[in-house]
Amino acid sequence: MAPVVLVTNDDGIHAAGLSALADALGDLGEVFVIAPDREQSAVGHALTLHRPLRAERIGERRFSVNGTPSDCVNLGVLGLLREAPALVMAGINQGANLGDDVTYSGTVSAAMEGTLLGVPSVAVSVENPDAGYAEAARIARLIATRVLVEGLPPRTLLNVNVPAATPKGIRLTQLGHRVYKEKIVEQTDPRGRTHYWIGGGPPQWDRSEDTDMAALHDGYASITPLLLDLTHFGALARMADWPRALTAQYKARPRGRKR
Ligand code: MN
């Protein structure tokens, strides 16, 4: 039987990029769309645990959910569909999701959630949504086909970004890093109270080659494999003497002091 493919996003069920992605994947399997009922960009990996989730069936194999992208993936993988999906595709997001910003992204987080649930997952974003989603949809379909055949390594997802102009090709990249120069913008409202804006200007990035940012800058689509194990194994070795010293300090608690 044709594999089940789950498509979701963070721009909401009515976003053009979502339909473009679902349409492009239509002949690869049985495509189900489960997406938030409203825009959920920059919600990160949030899950809804303290209110009921509703999945409204708004079309054939199409559900609108009053929750986050990660909620949608949970519902799809853990019970709403006739069988667990063979692939989770998130996007096509309006705006790139690059480098250090990926953990803010609802799109990338949806793919993280799929990965944590054991399903190969891919996030797809375009730098310039005004240029349309046709090229990104073609690239997404090619990558999805490959992932369905080859699978992905354990705990690994793909973060795909497509440049503003028609891509010259496709590069494998690593995450770039932001250069923080701006400050928060502090303003005073008409009632004299202070408020703040973060994320004021366009982000600046380090100039390293081989990054996702550099690929887009050079006009290439970017595929970054991300590993969902945040353990720093090098630091484990470097900190090897911490437990003994910290334990000794902890046990040397001064007597007689209340705590
Ligand atoms: Mn978005």
Side-chain angles (χ1 to χ4, degrees):
M1 209 192 297
V4 169
V5 177
L6 169 56
V7 174
T8 190
N9 74 346
D10 76 358
D11 295 329
I13 187 83
H14 301 297
L18 181 71
S19 315
L21 181 57
D23 292 348
L25 303 176
D27 61 343
L28 297 186
E30 197 179 359
V31 175
F32 286 85
V33 174
I34 307 177
D37 61 1
R38 66 199 71 184
E39 174 155 4
Q40 297 279 336
S41 294
V43 296
H45 204 161
L47 273 186
T48 301
L49 301 178
H50 303 291
R51 62 176 173 79
L53 286 173
R54 297 189 195 284
E56 187 189 352
R57 191 173 174 282
I58 59 168
E60 201 189 343
R61 302 198 299 264
R62 208 172 159 81
F63 296 87
S64 169
V65 174
N66 61 339
T68 67
S70 293
D71 291 333
C72 294
V73 173
N74 254 273
L75 291 181
V77 174
L78 298 179
L80 195 60
L81 305 182
R82 63 165 170 80
E83 63 180 78
L87 176 68
V88 170
M89 297 290 292
I92 298 168
N93 189 63
Q94 43 182 332
N97 279 306
L98 297 166
D100 293 329
D101 288 351
V102 296
T103 59
Y104 302 125
S105 163
T107 310
V108 176
S109 293
M112 288 181 180
E113 190 65 17
T115 304
L116 291 173
L117 294 170
V119 183
S121 301
V122 180
V124 185
S125 307
V126 291
E127 188 173 30
N128 177 18
D130 296 336
Y133 296 94
E135 300 303 323
R138 276 188 62 207
I139 288 171
R141 185 184 175 285
L142 292 171
I143 293 170
T145 307
R146 186 126 192 168
V147 171
L148 280 170
V149 172
E150 285 193 19
L152 289 173
R155 292 189 293 282
T156 303
L157 61 127
L158 301 182
N159 185 38
V160 177
N161 282 279
V162 177
T166 303
K168 297 176 187 165
I170 297 168
R171 281 189 193 165
L172 212 50
T173 62
Q174 60 187 63
L175 292 179
H177 296 296
R178 258 179 186 273
V179 180
Y180 285 93
K181 281 193 178 153
E182 306 132 20
K183 308 201 160 176
I184 54 169
V185 176
E186 181 180 316
Q187 295 175 335
T188 307
D189 75 14
R191 296 191 178 86
R193 294 178 306 185
T194 304
H195 61 257
Y196 303 93
W197 291 92
I198 56 176
Q204 304 205 42
W205 299 86
D206 69 9
R207 302 232 161 217
S208 317
E209 293 173 28
D210 305 331
T211 63
D212 46 3
M213 193 64 208
L216 258 63
H217 185 262
D218 295 346
Y220 287 79
S222 159
I223 305 176
T224 312
L226 301 180
L227 177 63
L228 276 190
D229 183 342
L230 298 179
T231 312
H232 188 331
F233 291 94
L236 277 182
R238 211 158 61 213
M239 296 167 67
D241 63 334
W242 283 41
R244 206 167 52 90
L246 288 174
T247 301
Q249 289 169 334
Y250 173 69
K251 289 195 168 169
R253 186 189 297 149
R255 281 168 196 245
R257 188 186 293 175
K258 277 190 191 160
R259 55 151 312 177

